[in-house]
Amino acid sequence: LIAVLASNKQQPQQESPTASSVPSLQPSSSSVPSLQPSSSSMPSSVPSSEREFALNILSDVSDVSLLRDNTTPQGKAFEWILDTDPLRLAPADGSFIQRFVLAVLYFSTGGGSWDTCNAPINVNSLSDCGLFFRIGSAWLTNSPECDWSGISCGDGVTRIDLRGNGLSGTIPSELQHLADLEWLRLFSN
């Protein structure tokens, strides 16, 4: 529209407007796209699938390239929470990010090779395990993540105590997204 008005200004002025130089308010059959808003109530950037929606939500927590690479701890946690996790949380669930972050911690620190509380082969198993003073369920089970051994919660995860459990690897930066975390004990690993 601005280009049309600008091109009209460049043309010599005529004394009286003609039908060809006055913009029409009537709809045309032109192939030029309309400037009218669409009637859709959904923004065009809304993901089309739950996987894309989860990827979008978790892109604020982990780098998308790591989420898409199933050889990284982030990619393993992404695949687990979407495809294997027996709780099948929706990405919009308040615990989704917290559960994902703890899964990243598990995969980043050699989960599966820990001394105790590894994810069982049967994810629906409620196998109990204990770390020092805290007995809970094994990690990556159908238990809420606040029931996993070594995890304490209030409104969110407040304490992680996995000391002396044979962890190896790196502490993932995703832990910064556990807003209520006050205590992290990982010594003697």
Side-chain angles (χ1 to χ4, degrees):
L1 183 61
I2 293 171
V4 171
L5 293 176
S7 67
N8 283 344
K9 285 184 179 182
Q10 293 172 0
Q11 294 178 0
Q13 295 290 328
Q14 296 178 357
E15 289 184 1
S16 63
T18 65
S20 62
S21 66
V22 177
S24 169
L25 297 178
Q26 297 296 319
S28 69
S29 60
S30 167
S31 63
V32 177
S34 167
L35 297 176
Q36 295 295 319
S38 69
S39 60
S40 172
S41 63
M42 297 296 287
S44 60
S45 63
V46 171
S48 60
S49 71
E50 186 173 342
R51 184 170 288 280
E52 289 296 316
F53 185 56
L55 193 65
N56 188 30
I57 295 230
L58 294 176
S59 68
D60 290 336
V61 177
S62 293
D63 183 274
V64 173
S65 65
L66 296 175
L67 293 170
R68 288 187 170 141
D69 181 352
N70 65 4
T71 65
T72 66
Q74 295 80 2
K76 290 175 182 179
F78 183 66
E79 292 299 317
W80 172 79
I81 201 161
L82 291 179
D83 299 332
T84 309
D85 183 2
L87 287 189
R88 301 276 187 230
L89 295 178
D93 187 287
S95 295
F96 185 81
I97 289 175
Q98 173 174 280
R99 195 164 173 89
F100 167 78
V101 167
L102 290 175
V104 171
L105 175 63
Y106 179 81
F107 290 114
S108 292
T109 58
S113 299
W114 292 353
D115 293 341
T116 185
C117 301
N118 289 291
I121 293 171
N122 177 358
V123 295
N124 291 312
S125 169
L126 282 176
S127 58
D128 287 339
C129 62
L131 290 170
F132 293 97
F133 64 91
R134 171 103 162 81
I135 298 216
S137 69
W139 280 54
L140 307 187
T141 61
N142 59 357
S143 296
E145 65 278 7
C146 290
D147 291 343
W148 294 347
S149 191
I151 301 298
S152 298
C153 294
D155 289 334
V157 173
T158 56
R159 293 180 177 199
I160 300 173
D161 187 351
L162 297 172
R163 58 189 151 150
N165 197 26
L167 279 65
S168 64
T170 59
I171 300 170
S173 63
E174 285 81 1
L175 288 180
Q176 70 183 319
H177 295 280
L178 298 177
D180 297 323
L181 185 62
E182 299 168 354
W183 208 42
L184 179 62
R185 284 188 168 176
L186 301 176
F187 59 87
S188 297
N189 279 298

